[in-house]
Amino acid sequence: MAGGAVTRFAPSPTGLLHLGHAFSALTAFDAADRGQFLLRIEDIDRDRCHPEFEAAIFEDLEWLGLDWPQPVMRQSDRLAVYQAALDHLAELGVTYPCSCTRGDIRAALSAPQEGAPILGPDGLVYPGTCRGRRMYGIAEGDVIRLDAEAAFSVLGDNMLNFNDHSPHVLTREAFVTGIGDVVLARRGMGTSYHLSVVVDDAAQGITKVTRGLDLFESTWIHVLLQRLLDLPTPDYHHHRLIRDDAGKRLAKRDDARSLRELRGQGASAADIRALVGL
Ligand code: GLU
């Protein structure tokens, strides 16, 4: 394994894989470089995930020439692990329950004393309406948020950093104003993408996270959670995004560019590599 990295591809089975996924999966596979490439199924959103899409993921990735060790980690099997991480964060005093709807948040942000709303990696930066509520007062239908200020106080540090080819740094102030109190456990789900991905990358011993540039800002949330949970921060490589002919980022609903469709039209795995510039 000398020189190699442990990498992963972590798709959500909410649709067919398209060229953007192929690029992401091949990038992770190539980055393992004599190390190990792992696959993880991110299926915490039970309403949007379907077994037929999961089966299609395995089929498409095999066709692309990738292989990975079994068994594959599946997030829906790990809800108790996420709950334990959330409990730990609650013990640190860096979480609070929140009942605000999107409408409540927009209304609070339009109050005259608020400046222009700021769009963070997770949508509008939360105005803090429920901050100060206690975890023992949690009610049905609440989400759990991270108290960003409290989190930095617990760390006793005003700086976050990670490596993506070169070092990147973010200050406490930039986090609090530009990202803020993100949701760690979504309604009815007990976790969120951010919490699960951090816990699982550590559990799988991932040393290099490769994923799209669209997630660059989210990485600050992950680094903060790693610090709070005493987990290592891996290296990151945020790769370019594959766009359609009109320059728009590919989405799962663009079935015309699905790997299955391209394969049906006679494309080979080598053609897919060439199409995404690898
Ligand atoms: N499940 C996420 C996605 O499909 C994975 C993102 C990541 O690699 O961290 O976008």
Side-chain angles (χ1 to χ4, degrees):
M1 239 179 80
V6 183
T7 66
R8 52 42 165 206
F9 178 55
S12 298
T14 56
L16 290 173
L17 298 186
H18 54 57
L19 280 178
H21 295 106
F23 179 63
S24 207
L26 289 165
T27 299
F29 187 78
D30 294 351
D33 183 26
R34 302 185 313 281
Q36 193 163 47
F37 165 78
L38 303 177
L39 181 61
R40 180 169 75 229
I41 299 294
E42 301 214 323
D43 59 350
I44 49 173
D45 192 341
R46 302 308 293 156
D47 294 338
R48 294 179 55 229
C49 293
H50 295 288
E52 61 271 28
F53 291 135
E54 188 176 312
I57 287 171
F58 297 137
E59 192 186 305
D60 288 344
L61 295 180
E62 273 167 26
W63 172 72
L64 275 178
L66 307 192
D67 53 56
W68 54 88
Q70 302 285 347
V72 165
M73 183 178 277
R74 186 178 283 104
Q75 290 192 326
S76 55
D77 292 338
R78 294 176 47 78
L79 299 181
V81 182
Y82 309 138
Q83 184 61 51
L86 195 62
D87 289 346
H88 183 68
L89 294 170
E91 276 160 31
L92 292 176
V94 300
T95 59
Y96 60 89
C98 169
S99 58
C100 292
T101 61
R102 260 189 218 133
D104 295 336
I105 294 172
R106 254 181 262 118
L109 287 170
S110 67
Q113 72 276 16
E114 294 284 340
I118 295 172
L119 197 59
D122 249 8
L124 292 173
V125 173
Y126 182 63
T129 319
C130 288
R131 192 182 303 130
R133 275 184 60 195
R134 301 306 177 120
M135 288 300 280
Y136 57 72
I138 188 166
E140 177 91 25
D142 281 346
V143 302
I144 306 296
R145 287 186 182 274
L146 174 74
D147 184 333
E149 281 283 14
F152 278 93
S153 297
V154 164
L155 285 188
D157 193 351
N158 291 326
M159 224 53 118
L160 296 178
N161 55 279
F162 68 85
N163 283 316
D164 182 338
H165 302 275
S166 58
H168 294 261
V169 178
L170 189 79
T171 63
R172 171 182 185 148
E173 196 197 346
F175 191 107
V176 168
T177 55
I179 299 175
D181 293 358
V182 293
V183 171
L184 296 180
R186 290 167 57 188
R187 231 166 241 118
M189 218 175 268
T191 186
S192 60
Y193 158 65
H194 299 303
L195 183 63
S196 300
V197 87
V198 162
V199 169
D200 290 348
D201 282 338
Q204 292 193 294
I206 305 299
T207 61
K208 186 170 196 173
V209 169
T210 59
R211 60 183 176 207
L213 265 170
D214 53 329
L215 288 166
F216 189 94
E217 294 300 326
S218 291
T219 298
W220 295 120
I221 303 168
H222 304 172
V223 172
L224 180 54
L225 291 175
Q226 286 152 2
R227 296 277 303 275
L228 291 165
L229 293 167
D230 261 327
L231 300 174
T233 293
D235 282 337
Y236 287 89
H237 166 56
H238 293 92
H239 60 65
R240 64 187 162 86
L241 301 175
I242 302 294
R243 300 181 184 275
D244 66 12
D245 298 338
K248 211 166 82 339
R249 185 154 72 85
L250 294 179
K252 284 206 175 116
R253 57 191 170 279
D254 301 332
D255 272 355
R257 288 299 186 107
S258 73
L259 298 180
R260 179 172 288 193
E261 184 75 21
L262 291 163
R263 187 168 70 214
Q265 291 166 9
S268 68
D271 293 335
I272 301 295
R273 273 197 181 261
L275 271 172
V276 297
L278 281 173

